[in-house]
Amino acid sequence: MVARRVLVVSYYTPPLGLSGVMRVTKLVKFLPDFGWRPLILTVKPAAYYYYDPALLSDLRGSKVFRTESFDPARLLNRLRPVRSRLNPMLSRSLGRGPRLLNYLLFPDSKAGWFPFASVAGRHIIDRERPAAIFATGPPFTALLVGVRLKAHGHLPLVADFRDPWPTGFVLPPQPQRTLLRRVRGYIVRHADAILAVNYGTARELGPKAEVLDNGFDPDEFDVEPARLDGFSIVHVGNLWQNQQELLAVCQAIRDVPDAQLYLAGRVDRETRRRLGQEKQVRLLGTVAHDQACRLMKGANVLLYIGKPGQPVGIKLYEYLGARRPILVFGPDTTEAAAIVEQCEAGVACAGQESLGQALMKLRSEATRFTSANRDRYDRRVQAGKLAALMERLVTSGT
């Protein structure tokens, strides 16, 4: 059978690292197994604070097309030689420029990619003849590119929301929110299918949205576990606005003398200062994804801390793949706790007073939380579901 081609519109792809690239990276890795060959439309990698070139291996079954972009972060990167010769105060002011432009540009700070992606996408459609378009956001400029290319190629469009927008971690200015919701409605109306990463996001998007969960790549956990000291509690991923939860965990582990809390990822400056005084905390900073998988496999407990406005973070699914006991703690964790309970993968803790009891339960009953089936969250399964959805859209003539 001749494979169909799908045009994948995604701003974030390897060699950029961190969680924003993982969903699309794993979907395109496994789509060829189900008769779909990805054509990836993305941006040239520049001006980002973390790269993970090892993830490029997941794109081997795809053709990748990279464009320029008037992205503030990219433009600022080109000014680095100039900034180094400026006085410190002016240099810091320039460094805050991209944050300010996040509020001034519309619909988001990547709006400058739209003209480049639109032109390149039209050429790809005319030359490669894809059967469908899959566009994923954030940035939500990518979804508008998807709508534009759907009109050009008269192709079915799957719009994938990794965030409900505009209700993400950092809310846009109040005057923009109504208009942003209208843009979101425009995307939803013009897409032939709407996907969301979890049920909380799907509810924000309306009845047309279907859930295609995030998940884990089982291949990534075929590694040697990291050797960690004591009763190891590991958190993988950036932590913002979670200082109180982290301090509560630190207080709880003081009653467990051999406990060690490992934090892999970035934390804000004030939290780093306060955690630096904790003898049972190890700050590892940002680590490569393969090292993160080794840390997860080597942990006695994997710590998941909820974030406001995020029903389920992507790291929870990778925790499931590591098959280590999971502790869910923090705000907005109802959906995350339900997933962990369904998979018999750990316990959810509602308040600081029960943290110690939860840790002891995970320690004493570890095998109970590592044996249940988690195939629903296998990235291969999810790629198969996406392939079947696109096949239905193509064959129905949508």
Side-chain angles (χ1 to χ4, degrees):
M1 181 181 70
V2 177
R4 297 189 189 274
R5 298 178 179 183
V6 55
L7 176 59
V8 176
V9 182
S10 178
Y11 187 94
Y12 296 118
T13 57
L16 303 184
L18 303 177
S19 60
V21 309
M22 297 310 297
R23 180 173 173 89
V24 71
T25 300
K26 298 305 177 181
L27 287 173
V28 301
K29 173 183 177 179
F30 293 116
L31 276 174
D33 294 345
F34 300 94
W36 286 86
R37 183 188 179 197
L39 310 165
I40 302 174
L41 172 60
T42 188
V43 73
K44 292 180 179 178
Y48 285 88
Y49 69 88
Y50 189 73
Y51 292 82
D52 194 346
L55 294 174
L56 285 168
S57 63
D58 288 339
L59 308 187
R60 284 179 296 192
S62 307
K63 290 182 70 173
V64 183
F65 304 84
R66 299 187 184 272
T67 77
E68 295 290 349
S69 173
F70 290 133
D71 176 338
R74 293 167 60 85
L75 297 176
L76 187 66
N77 188 51
R78 294 187 177 185
L79 289 175
R80 281 183 180 175
V82 177
R83 285 178 63 190
S84 66
R85 297 193 294 270
L86 298 175
N87 69 67
M89 184 175 295
L90 181 55
S91 180
R92 284 194 296 270
S93 298
L94 282 172
R96 289 190 290 268
R99 299 178 192 175
L100 177 62
L101 288 170
N102 283 343
Y103 291 90
L104 297 179
L105 295 177
F106 191 85
D108 52 40
S109 65
K110 312 306 181 191
W113 187 48
F114 185 89
F116 295 96
S118 297
V119 171
R122 290 197 296 269
H123 289 316
I124 295 168
I125 289 171
D126 293 342
R127 184 169 61 251
E128 301 286 343
R129 301 294 180 184
I133 301 170
F134 174 84
T136 183
F140 298 97
T141 290
L143 301 183
L144 290 175
V145 172
V147 173
R148 175 67 187 87
L149 296 179
K150 166 188 166 70
H152 173 77
H154 306 288
L155 299 171
L157 168 65
V158 179
D160 179 57
F161 286 79
R162 306 192 313 275
D163 186 301
W165 184 55
T167 60
F169 300 144
V170 181
L171 287 173
Q174 184 66 46
Q176 286 189 8
R177 294 178 199 174
T178 298
L179 187 53
L180 284 168
R181 288 189 177 92
R182 291 177 182 172
V183 174
R184 184 177 71 185
Y186 170 82
I187 294 168
V188 170
R189 287 194 306 274
H190 284 80
D192 300 285
I194 300 295
L195 295 180
V197 295
N198 51 57
Y199 291 98
T201 298
R203 284 192 294 271
E204 291 278 348
L205 297 171
K208 188 175 177 180
E210 306 175 44
V211 174
L212 183 68
D213 298 292
N214 275 318
F216 63 89
D217 179 352
D219 297 343
E220 292 183 338
F221 292 98
D222 187 19
V223 294
E224 285 295 317
R227 293 185 178 181
L228 305 176
D229 294 331
F231 177 55
S232 55
I233 304 163
V234 172
H235 181 281
V236 175
N238 294 335
L239 282 164
W240 309 114
Q241 301 176 326
N242 288 115
Q243 186 181 100
Q244 295 307 311
E245 289 78 23
L246 283 171
L247 293 176
V249 174
C250 290
Q251 183 173 334
I253 65 175
R254 288 172 191 157
D255 295 327
V256 187
D258 66 333
Q260 293 287 328
L261 175 60
Y262 293 81
L263 301 177
R266 298 201 301 173
V267 297
D268 62 86
R269 184 178 301 175
E270 174 60 18
T271 302
R272 176 175 288 273
R273 184 190 68 80
R274 295 190 67 173
L275 292 179
Q277 304 170 19
E278 299 286 341
K279 295 181 180 180
Q280 292 174 274
V281 177
R282 304 193 185 187
L283 298 169
L284 305 179
T286 302
V287 301
H289 191 67
D290 60 346
Q291 176 62 15
C293 292
R294 294 185 66 243
L295 285 167
M296 286 185 257
K297 278 196 71 173
N300 293 116
V301 172
L302 292 168
L303 174 63
Y304 175 85
I305 298 181
K307 297 178 182 179
Q310 184 187 57
V312 189
I314 191 171
K315 285 302 174 186
L316 180 69
Y317 302 93
E318 296 192 328
Y319 285 3
L320 294 174
R323 295 187 176 275
R324 304 304 301 146
I326 300 170
L327 171 62
V328 176
F329 178 59
D332 294 349
T333 55
T334 302
E335 191 169 339
I339 290 173
V340 168
E341 181 179 356
Q342 175 199 44
C343 292
E344 299 178 46
V347 298
C349 188
Q352 179 177 347
E353 64 281 354
S354 54
L355 267 173
Q357 293 177 348
L359 286 170
M360 290 303 97
K361 183 174 184 178
L362 293 170
R363 184 174 200 169
S364 62
E365 303 177 32
T367 56
R368 171 185 167 190
F369 302 113
T370 59
S371 58
N373 187 294
R374 296 140 194 235
D375 289 348
R376 169 184 172 184
Y377 300 107
D378 188 320
R379 292 286 193 184
R380 289 187 178 91
V381 173
Q382 293 151 1
K385 291 179 179 178
L386 176 58
L389 170 61
M390 294 190 297
E391 189 69 29
R392 289 197 302 271
L393 294 177
V394 171
T395 55
S396 67
T398 298

